[in-house]
Amino acid sequence: FFFLMIRRPPRSTQSRSSAASDVYKRQVLLLGGYSVVSPAGKGLVLSPSAFGYILPNQTKIQSDQNRLRIRSPQLGLSLNYESSSTGQIKDLNKTANPFVESAISIAAAYIGAKGLFQNRIQVDNLLLLDDSFYTLQKTIALLHNTRFSYFEPEEIRKTGLGSSSSVILLTLSSILRQFLNESVSDKLIHILAQTANSKAQKKVGSGFDISACLFGNQIYKRFPSNAVDFLLQNLNAPDFDKLVDEVISNQKDYEWGAPERKITGLKGLKLIFLDFSVGSNSRIMASKVMQYLSKNQSYASDFIDRANKAVEEAASLLDSLSDQKSENDGKRMQALNDEYIELMYKLGIDCDVHVQPRRIKELLASIRKKDERVYFAISPGAGGYDAACLLADSSLPLETLESIIRDFPGLADTRLTIKSFSISDHGLRVLPETDPLISDIDVIHNLSLIHISEPTRQAEISYAVFCLKKK
């Protein structure tokens, strides 16, 4: 047993924003990989019920600079920045995190252009992600009955399902609310988050992950890339805020404040993720595929058209599966799965990229054949060897799935992690101060974990020392 004694400190005298905590969900691009990069393409994005949170504390200070801090005790992350009254950011860190830095710089440019950095404050943001964002080899739980763990960086591996977009969206939305008195529209958060994401990745990507974090389950259609390019080129303009507002209002054929189509009410279904603990370089894969599509316009047009039809049909079938689960709808979804996975498999062969690896493709076909409660199974997003996602009836026990996988030849030595999630509707939202989760996060907010000893001995009863420092 491990013993952890925590003495809760007195409530901080800092003034906290009433935006107690922003919360968002991870997401998976079930259909639409590669086609969503095109303005003509669409994607089906679903959000499992795993969450990220950010809790801001705000203090007035005597300084000619505003201080911005992002902490994640889970990952040993503590990043500090200063901002001038015009929104110029000074990085005070020895190490950088491009996603945090981009989110802060974009938010600061907008706030500074509005002249709202005049009241000097220090904003301390605590960022927490559910353990499900990571495949953990060993964890040390900070609090009993919480889903947040401390872990050593070398002992974790990202599942590739949204932690980077979470850092951007949560950081940016929290800072905006601190300085704009919470009058922050989804339109504004969306366009600034897409700009920050493009800045961090040094390219204008598809952006489905940012949109899904903000709006939840949806059919996604890509934003106009020229709009984000324009804002990146004018990031230091003194009227940056007006340029952002103009881009939003002038975009007649794109709605920044809502997805192409929001999907709600998905009951009786769940998402199951298979993490194969094998890495694929999705950036290199995507680059090769996009180069091939750009050189073969007729092929690309046909691919996008077929992918879009699959997205629309899958979204319609989701509605009926959720409502009544008719046998015909389930079989049609499975047939659509076969058609779509062959489309992606052929794309991989033509581009010489393992978009849908043959061995994983065979495993997923075997799972669906042995249990018809699995309606759709795919290597999501850019594909590769990393993971697979199953859309299944909520009645499917994981033990049944594990048994099917164990019987599949060649997987005996594969380190496989299986996680199951329900599907919920909302995207980014603000938790009220009365939410019970806030009190648990409060404890983490006011304590720093500075050391954990090794267990005293390998025995039925052993002891470890947790050293905590009050802030």
Side-chain angles (χ1 to χ4, degrees), residues 45-115:
V45 193
L46 299 180
S47 297
S49 55
F51 302 90
Y53 305 85
I54 194 163
L55 183 71
N57 267 10
Q58 184 184 112
T59 310
K60 290 185 178 181
I61 56 175
Q62 298 295 321
S63 172
D64 60 351
Q65 301 283 322
N66 292 278
R67 295 173 189 164
L68 308 173
R69 185 184 185 200
I70 304 293
R71 293 190 297 119
S72 176
Q74 291 172 295
L75 302 177
L77 182 71
S78 181
L79 299 174
N80 297 275
Y81 302 86
E82 285 184 346
S83 173
S84 67
S85 60
T86 58
Q88 297 301 309
I89 292 295
K90 182 179 180 181
D91 188 346
L92 305 179
N93 309 289
K94 294 181 179 179
T95 59
N97 181 296
F99 301 101
V100 171
E101 189 171 325
S102 295
I104 287 180
S105 64
I106 297 297
Y110 187 86
I111 295 165
K114 280 192 167 297

Side-chain angles (χ1 to χ4, degrees), residues 37 52 58 80 95 105 120 124 157 185 191 209 212 240 287 295 305 309 357 359 382 417 432 455:
V37 179
Q58 184 184 112
N80 297 275
T95 59
S105 64
R120 308 303 180 196
D124 183 7
R157 188 170 65 79
S185 68
I191 193 169
D209 47 356
F240 180 72
S287 177
K295 293 177 181 178
D305 182 60
K309 290 178 180 177
R359 193 66 175 152
T417 303

